[in-house]
Amino acid sequence: MTQFVRLLSLFSVAVFTVPALGQLQVPAIPGVPEPARRAAESIDPEKIRAHVRFLASDLLEGRGPGQRGGELAAEYIATQFALDGLKPAGDNGTYFQKVPLYAVHTIEDQTTAEFLPANGQPISLAYSSDWVAKDQSGQESADIDAPIVFVGYGIDAPEYHWNDYAGVDVKGKVLLVIVNEPPSDDDRFFKGKALTYYGRWTYKYEEASRLGAIGVLIIHRTDLASYPWQVVRDSQAIEKSYLQGDPTATLKAAAWIQHDVAQKLFTAAGMGSVDDEIAKAGQRGFHAVELPVRFKAHIASKVRHYESDNVVAELPGAQPGQAVLYSAHYDHLGIDPNAKGDNIYNGAADNGTGCGILLELARAWSETKPPHSVYFASVTAEEQGLLGSQWLGMHPPVPASQIALDLNYDMLIPIGIPTSTEVSGAERTSFYPEVEKTAKAFHLTIQPDQFPGAGHYYRSDHFSFARVGVPAFSIGEGTTFEGHHDPEWGKQQLEDYVAHRYHQPSDEYRPEMDFRGDARMAQFGFILGWEALSLPKEIGWQPGDEFEAARRKGQ
């Protein structure tokens, strides 16, 4: 054990001596034995507070992946697992699973692009205002001169009998695609107004890579994307990380173009208005078409190769069987060296809270002997695109088919005890009746996803496990809280956090934070995990769900 880990051990013992403000009771639930109920009831909001206070301290420098602060966080989490007596479940008998990454930063003033029509003058594109891009290939310089193929929404979805790629060869070409997915009010067709993964821009890049394209230009339109061009521009202005060797991240130009720029392209191709073309692409009978326009670009990048760690531990069960996995990302945005004043993105709520819950769950579970193994994974590089959990999903501690359920925790704002919960995605699994029953026992109302069109299910780490077939969802607070019966109060707290602290240096630990709600959500997840371990039948996805095939493939 290193001297640093010894110091962390001493710190850990010290913070755990903080007296609890009051124990939160856990209801007796049929099928959950009394020792398990008592273990869940031991979950202490003040222990969660202590973890968040340390993880969000300036000492950890915003927990940037591959940076000193991220490494300190990983060491701290591993030390907590060791103190709880959990077995290492990482690489080579350690708690650490190495995640190989590379980061790409586009050098704007050295990056150029233009459309070259078969007839007519070249159309130059101004970086940032007209288009943005990342070279996923990890090269410092990339040159492209290739035909453009308009493939509509860029979706191949057999379960909806939809294939924008039918009859077209896109290898070595640049694809023009529309953001989002075909519009529908029919829940049986791309789930109606709720976004499926097919509508996410990440899917469009991945599918294009699988088919051998060298670039993708996503047409941005604010109403379809649900966010303005500024969000796209700002997200591309910073470095973006990728998994080394990821076969679905090979594009030389993973790019977006402005709506007005797309209009110039369609005009140069002799086609109709961009909005008319978008409308036609959303109807059955659309066929991809190669435009009489080429895309020529030079993309210059600064590339950084690094490693970061997932931290993984196991509490062995009484006998072999379907395991339960708890997950939460520990990384945040690190330090902005160009910012004036406070430049540390401490990430207290995002996701110090999820880590604190995960660590307190691990301590509580260590007081029991579960029927089957329970795994705890604090993953890295979530803010870079769920990369740590993606790697863990590709290299799980046991085969994905042997994991009954993943319960994820991400950004639970510590503002009191909730009387409602959001478990979006749970309804897609056969486990949902247990979720409903347990929520009722906890006097929690299940709230639906408030923004189904935003595709939040695909934007947290549980998604990485769903992709490999594991039934998975995040446990979050709803908008109603004890003492504040008006749900508007809860909405206002969330809106205030998003406006003034989310992904800002001001997301800091404050002594007045109330962690009882985090403890309550931990207790709820503890009981759900025990129930998942105790079910006589394997948990699966609802028939026809987009992840059902992956579950069956792994069986």
Side-chain angles (χ1 to χ4, degrees), residues 2-9 54 71-73 75-76 79:
T2 66
Q3 181 63 25
F4 173 73
V5 175
R6 290 192 186 94
L7 289 172
L8 281 181
S9 301
F54 177 73
E71 293 176 357
L72 291 177
E75 287 280 2
Y76 176 82
T79 299

Side-chain angles (χ1 to χ4, degrees), residues 393-404:
M394 295 163 58
H395 306 88
V398 292
S401 61
Q402 296 177 23
I403 301 176

Side-chain angles (χ1 to χ4, degrees), residues 125-188:
L125 305 183
Y127 196 86
S128 183
S129 59
D130 288 343
W131 78 300
V132 290
K134 283 289 189 291
D135 176 5
Q136 297 178 334
S137 70
Q139 303 301 308
E140 293 185 348
S141 179
D143 289 291
I144 300 170
D145 187 352
I148 298 173
V149 181
F150 178 46
V151 293
Y153 285 91
I155 293 172
D156 180 7
E159 66 270 39
Y160 300 121
H161 307 289
W162 188 279
N163 186 3
D164 287 321
Y165 292 101
V168 62
D169 180 8
V170 300
K171 189 173 183 179
K173 299 175 183 178
V174 173
L175 309 186
L176 179 67
V177 306
I178 306 162
V179 69
N180 214 305
E181 60 196 11
S184 172
D185 292 322
D186 183 354
D187 289 343
R188 296 168 297 178

